[in-house]
């Protein structure tokens, strides 16, 4: 197992959002900034420094490096809150809650990494969405854990396969920074 070949957690989010986007970004190294990426980077500026903060009884570990040798994934989680010995992984996202499971998969994968590293069970995590300024609690159910591990396995296999076809999801494609490279509308027209 070579840690350099571990799948970055952020790319798991890309995989679940769109396998073709994942292929462009992870396999081919294509990256294009759009207003969504720029805004996300801007909103993360206050949490992008590693450190430990205490707020009352809660200890907040910012920018924590996590990894799983079993799943061969690694990455940085925005924060891990520690309350009465319980770890709560926390991710910050620019969008609104409940739009895509990709955020849940990324958070669950981070929790799986923390569980492997600490030996402690983690029941849930939270995602703070800037668009509506609220946290969404994400329960790490057996189903979410299984789906997350299946997505990790599928993403690991993607590198050895051909590029996936464009997805048929108008809203996702319109918001995607790689639309000008992926050309989903043009690809669909060529295939029909």
């Amino acid at each position: 197992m070579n840690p350099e070949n571990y799948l970055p957690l952020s790319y798991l989010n890309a995989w679940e959002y769109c396998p073709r986007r994942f292929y462009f970004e992870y396999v081919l190294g294509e990256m294009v900034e759009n207003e969504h990426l720029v805004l996300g980077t801007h909103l993360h500026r206050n949490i992008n420094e590693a450190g430990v903060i205490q707020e009352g009884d809660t200890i907040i570990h910012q920018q924590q490096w996590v990894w799983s040798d079993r799943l061969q994934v690694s990455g940085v989680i925005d924060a891990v809150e520690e309350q009465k010995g319980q770890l709560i992984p926390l991710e910050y996202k620019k969008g609104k809650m409940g739009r895509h499971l990709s955020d849940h998969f990324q958070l669950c994968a981070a929790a799986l990494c923390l569980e492997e590293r600490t030996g402690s069970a983690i029941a849930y995590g939270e995602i703070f969405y800037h668009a509506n300024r609220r946290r969404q609690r994400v329960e790490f159910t057996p189903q979410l854990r299984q789906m997350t591990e299946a997505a990790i396995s599928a993403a690991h296999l993607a590198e050895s396969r051909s590029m996936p076809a464009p997805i048929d999801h108008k809203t996702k494609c319109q918001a995607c920074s790689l639309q000008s490279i992926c050309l989903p509308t043009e690809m669909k027209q060529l295939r029909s």
Side-chain angles (χ1 to χ4, degrees), residues 35-66:
E35 67 274 11
H36 301 290
L37 290 173
V38 172
L39 180 57
T41 300
H42 175 71
L43 293 172
H44 266 81
R45 72 191 182 285
N46 292 330
I47 58 165
N48 276 345
E49 289 187 31
V52 179
I53 301 168
Q54 181 137 7
E55 292 181 0
D57 292 338
T58 303
I59 300 171
I60 304 166
H61 305 271
Q62 291 186 165
Q63 296 297 298
Q64 292 298 295
W65 179 258
V66 296

Side-chain angles (χ1 to χ4, degrees), residues 94-162:
K94 77 160 200 65
K96 296 178 182 175
M97 65 176 55
R99 297 189 73 186
H100 307 293
L101 278 179
S102 55
D103 295 341
H104 294 204
F105 281 33
Q106 182 181 358
L107 184 67
C108 185
L112 293 170
C113 291
L114 283 168
E115 286 178 339
E116 186 175 318
R117 302 272 53 91
T118 65
S120 300
I122 299 174
Y124 71 94
E126 295 182 346
I127 303 171
F128 178 82
Y129 287 99
H130 285 278
N132 52 10
R133 310 285 304 160
R134 292 183 24 203
R135 283 188 182 198
Q136 178 183 29
R137 184 174 169 140
V138 177
E139 300 288 339
F140 300 133
T141 64
Q143 180 184 14
L144 179 59
R145 289 168 182 270
Q146 182 180 15
M147 290 168 51
T148 300
E149 289 196 28
I152 291 168
S153 294
H156 279 302
L157 292 173
E159 192 169 5
S160 63
R161 299 208 170 130
S162 60

